Amino acid sequence: MIEDPRLVQVQRKTRLRLLFSGVTLLFYFSFSLNWMNLGSFLREPIGDSVINGSIVMFVLLILGFIAAEMIFMLISRREKY
Amino acid sequence: MVRVLLLLIAAGAHLPTMAAGGDISGEVVRQPVNPMAIGMFLVFVALTLAITWRASKSTKTSASFYNAGGEITGLQNGAAIAGDFMSAASFLGITGLIFLGGFDGVILSIGAFAAWPFMLFLFAKRVRNLGSYTFVDVVSERLDRDRIRIVAVFGTITVVVMYLIAQMVGAGKLIQLLFGLPYELAVVIVSALVLAYVAFGGMLATTWVQIIKAILLLTGVTLMAILILVQSDFSFDTLLRMAGDSHPRGEAILAPGVLFDDPVQIVTIQVSMLFGILGLPHILMRLFTVPDMHQAKLSAFYASLLIGYFYILLLVIGFGAAALLYNNPEFFGIGGEIIGGSNMASIHLATALGGDILTGFMSAVTFATILAVVAGLTVSGAAAISHDLYAEVLKQGKPDPVTELRITRITVFVIGIVAVLLGIAFEDENVAFVATMPMVVAASVNFPILFLSLFWRGLTTQGAIAGALVGLVSSIVLIVLGPQVWVSVLDHEAALFPYNYPALFTLPLALLVTWVVSKADNSERGVIDKQNYDDLLIRSELGET
């Protein structure tokens, strides 16, 4: 049985979608570490400032998610379909 | 005690209510009439009504009513999504939470923002390619269209009605706070304006109301953030030190743990917000207002940029409120409580930073926020009834266009009247659970159907219906047994279920039931459902018909 080449391409794209979603989901739920003992290091101030890892993580997550979207869009543009 | 916060958050439509621990307090106290705020709001109303008048000329068919003719660009739609999304709850509620409890308040920000990458990765292109006007179009593509439409429409109507109640009650309370207008008058004004926008201008007018509101809100919060940073010599570290010095809890507010101490509670909020937003019908509907799949993806991306920018600024504004208000007795009553409740923190901050002009501007923008959200909900509710039920189920996809548009407009008026009646009826009720329910139902009913129909070959109609019903029933039961109803409404001493947001449990349950029933489904229809998947997959990516 010869599989539709479009289907193969679309299935590959589906895996890409799920990969990006899985990684993003992992980072998203990692934010709950801030409220766990496991993530106590995040609550420590950085250097001499009062800015701690929790605040930095919040900002980095937002910027990181936007960066992930940009990468996803760039990969999508290069694809045939 | 938490009621005012809950109402305000409900007013935002996209953030869940939360039973924050700690000392959140503040009853709704009608404030003196604010002529500056009313004047600025009237300017906004005049501008948006002019746009509606113009939009009404091109809203002649159901298609133009539901999706603005599909002529909105990605940037415009992204701004409209952001306008729909950056709510009164975000601005007032999150700022108020950070003012009270510091870092813990940002859990709502990250929850609200994170849905957008998923919207881009999973839904934007596929939903746009497969649907016409609503997400129900998408899920009915490969399943038994009549049965799944009825179930999905029920999910949509449940979400829309619950949101409308929460919106109207929240709007009435907010406008009492911000403008000094009576509750009933506020509810009627909101409904009348939304009826004008939606009935005559449809999705086109709604879109522009949301775009204008987004621009105004982003301008306002940017200005406030700059004025705050001026006070700390543009040093965020200095700002945090000032907040820690001023706040009664000191530098403890800079780290997690002041309002929340249970990680499971945090995860329940995260699950409800992320998957709830991905299942909100009026948000998904915006993907159909653009001409093609590329613009749909751009919509989600631009929405992310604007919403991310907004939430980062809220961090500055929230800690700015803590830094600048606690030491200023002008904003506190005789008993030491902040005037109007903690949710007025951002408005008081506007007063501290920019006097009456900035206060009036931010109050007017907040009112505009409510209008934008209610307008989006009304369009979604009208489309569910006139398109999904009347045109697609009753008329089997072949309705008379004139009759369909007439029914759409009648539905809009009915929704407007129902909204006023519900708003007044629920004025003195504890509506916290009403505001929670849409997010949990959207996460447990709409999201699983939509996600599995796009990404799982094995889904069958029977499985989807069983999963949706289990998701709906379990959501309602666990919310009733939870603190918001069992304790706050029914006055029991302790809740039978400890969390306000059961989506952490109801979503997996709905997925499990869907999987089991689909696997066991050997019916003829089940075989067709599975065979339809490859064709749907190709069309969802390539846009072919």
Side-chain angles (χ1 to χ4, degrees):
Chain A
M1 181 181 163
I2 301 172
E3 202 165 4
D4 185 340
R6 296 177 306 166
L7 186 59
V8 174
Q9 181 73 12
V10 170
Q11 285 169 336
R12 204 186 69 75
K13 186 68 182 289
T14 301
R15 287 193 291 274
L16 184 72
R17 291 183 182 285
L18 294 176
L19 175 68
F20 268 84
S21 300
V23 172
T24 305
L25 204 61
L26 199 66
F27 279 104
Y28 174 63
F29 283 111
S30 71
F31 196 62
S32 63
L33 279 174
N34 285 293
W35 285 265
M36 299 178 189
N37 290 333
L38 194 63
S40 57
F41 66 94
L42 290 167
R43 296 190 280 273
E44 298 298 322
I46 297 171
D48 294 332
S49 75
V50 293
I51 298 173
N52 55 42
S54 299
I55 292 172
V56 172
M57 184 180 192
F58 170 75
V59 176
L60 286 182
L61 277 180
I62 288 182
L63 298 178
F65 288 165
I66 291 172
E69 288 183 72
M70 291 175 76
I71 294 167
F72 181 81
M73 300 258 290
L74 283 174
I75 293 173
S76 298
R77 283 182 66 178
R78 283 212 299 262
E79 295 200 340
K80 183 179 175 184
Y81 298 119
Chain B
M1 301 298 283
V2 297
R3 186 171 170 197
V4 177
L5 176 70
L6 297 168
L7 291 170
L8 290 172
I9 286 176
H14 304 304
L15 297 178
T17 56
M18 47 179 294
D23 56 349
I24 296 173
S25 61
E27 293 302 317
V28 171
V29 178
R30 188 174 157 188
Q31 300 296 297
V33 172
N34 183 337
M36 182 70 76
I38 292 175
M40 289 189 182
F41 179 69
L42 288 177
V43 172
F44 172 84
V45 168
L47 179 63
T48 49
L49 285 178
I51 289 170
T52 301
W53 177 74
R54 191 178 167 88
S56 67
K57 293 181 176 177
S58 58
T59 305
K60 300 292 185 193
T61 64
S62 296
S64 56
F65 182 92
Y66 297 137
N67 68 0
E71 293 174 352
I72 306 294
T73 68
L75 179 58
Q76 290 169 342
N77 198 38
I81 290 170
D84 202 353
F85 208 81
M86 296 181 304
S87 54
S90 305
F91 177 58
L92 301 180
I94 293 177
T95 305
L97 266 188
I98 298 175
F99 168 77
L100 276 175
F103 180 82
D104 280 355
V106 307
I107 184 62
L108 296 179
S109 300
I110 202 75
F113 173 75
W116 293 98
F118 291 95
M119 192 68 81
L120 174 65
F121 302 151
L122 298 176
F123 288 162
K125 183 178 182 182
R126 292 190 171 189
V127 168
R128 174 62 187 82
N129 278 342
L130 292 173
S132 301
Y133 307 125
T134 68
F135 90 95
V136 184
D137 290 333
V138 179
V139 301
S140 64
E141 274 291 302
R142 59 178 282 221
L143 305 176
D144 181 346
R145 58 195 303 277
D146 286 353
R147 282 193 291 162
I148 198 65
R149 265 187 191 279
I150 291 170
V151 171
V153 165
F154 191 70
T156 299
I157 296 295
T158 303
V159 170
V160 168
V161 169
M162 291 294 169
Y163 260 136
L164 270 180
I165 295 172
Q167 283 288 314
M168 298 310 285
V169 178
K173 303 288 182 185
L174 263 178
I175 292 163
Q176 274 184 297
L177 282 169
L178 298 178
F179 292 85
L181 297 177
Y183 177 89
E184 291 80 5
L185 179 61
V187 168
V188 170
I189 288 173
V190 169
S191 189
L193 284 171
V194 168
L195 278 179
Y197 294 145
V198 179
F200 299 107
M203 183 58 103
L204 186 58
T206 301
T207 299
W208 280 103
V209 169
Q210 290 165 338
I211 291 172
I212 292 169
K213 172 249 164 168
I215 294 169
L216 292 175
L217 184 58
L218 285 173
T219 303
V221 294
T222 302
L223 184 59
M224 285 182 70
I226 291 171
L227 291 173
I228 290 166
L229 289 171
V230 164
Q231 311 260 343
S232 64
D233 295 329
F234 287 93
S235 164
F236 187 57
D237 184 55
T238 304
L239 176 65
L240 292 181
R241 287 182 197 278
M242 290 165 62
D245 290 343
S246 302
H247 199 283
R249 298 290 296 269
E251 290 192 359
I253 64 163
L254 306 182
V258 174
L259 297 178
F260 304 111
D261 54 10
D262 179 2
V264 179
Q265 187 184 17
I266 292 294
V267 178
T268 61
I269 293 172
Q270 285 187 294
V271 170
S272 297
M273 294 197 65
L274 175 62
F275 298 107
I277 290 166
L278 290 172
L280 287 176
H282 59 295
I283 294 293
L284 291 166
M285 195 173 177
R286 291 225 59 91
L287 297 174
F288 303 112
T289 62
V290 291
D292 54 46
M293 58 189 179
H294 180 62
Q295 295 298 321
K297 288 191 296 184
L298 283 178
S299 301
F301 178 67
Y302 285 128
S304 280
L305 281 181
L306 296 174
I307 293 167
Y309 172 73
F310 175 70
Y311 283 130
I312 287 177
L313 288 189
L314 281 195
L315 191 68
V316 174
I317 292 173
F319 282 113
L324 301 176
L325 295 185
Y326 276 108
N327 291 330
N328 194 334
E330 179 188 346
F331 302 113
F332 289 82
I334 298 170
E337 75 288 356
I338 187 163
I339 296 171
S342 62
N343 298 289
M344 285 292 279
S346 48
I347 301 299
H348 291 322
L349 182 63
T351 307
L353 293 168
D356 287 345
I357 293 177
L358 190 56
T359 306
F361 180 75
M362 296 312 296
S363 298
V365 169
T366 306
F367 198 164
T369 294
I370 296 167
L371 292 180
V373 176
V374 176
L377 278 170
T378 305
V379 172
S380 180
I385 291 169
S386 59
H387 171 67
D388 292 326
L389 271 187
Y390 170 76
E392 294 297 326
V393 176
L394 293 178
K395 295 296 177 182
Q396 292 294 299
K398 295 171 185 167
D400 170 46
V402 177
T403 307
E404 186 183 357
L405 185 58
R406 190 164 61 239
I407 288 177
T408 304
R409 287 190 161 134
I410 291 171
T411 307
V412 169
F413 276 100
V414 171
I415 291 173
I417 292 166
V418 168
V420 170
L421 294 177
L422 289 174
I424 292 172
F426 278 79
E427 178 185 358
D428 296 319
E429 302 299 321
N430 185 336
V431 296
F433 70 96
V434 178
T436 302
M437 215 170 274
M439 296 300 285
V440 177
V441 169
S444 309
V445 179
N446 297 353
F447 173 77
I449 299 178
L450 183 59
F451 176 75
L452 293 176
S453 70
L454 291 174
F455 288 91
W456 186 41
R457 183 191 308 276
L459 180 69
T460 69
T461 304
Q462 285 184 19
I465 292 172
L469 292 178
V470 167
L472 180 64
V473 172
S474 60
S475 297
I476 293 171
V477 168
L478 290 184
I479 287 172
V480 169
L481 298 180
Q484 287 181 349
V485 177
W486 200 252
V487 177
S488 301
V489 177
L490 301 178
D491 290 331
H492 290 93
E493 280 194 11
L496 297 177
F497 178 77
Y499 302 109
N500 285 325
Y501 303 96
L504 175 62
F505 308 96
T506 55
L507 170 58
L509 182 63
L511 290 172
L512 178 66
V513 169
T514 306
W515 182 78
V516 169
V517 175
S518 294
K519 281 286 183 188
D521 182 5
N522 294 317
S523 66
E524 193 177 325
R525 178 67 230 187
V527 174
I528 295 171
D529 293 339
K530 292 170 188 171
Q531 286 174 342
N532 284 343
Y533 182 68
D534 284 347
D535 176 57
L536 174 127
L537 195 59
I538 291 173
R539 285 191 293 124
S540 71
E541 283 290 343
L542 307 184
E544 295 176 355
T545 56

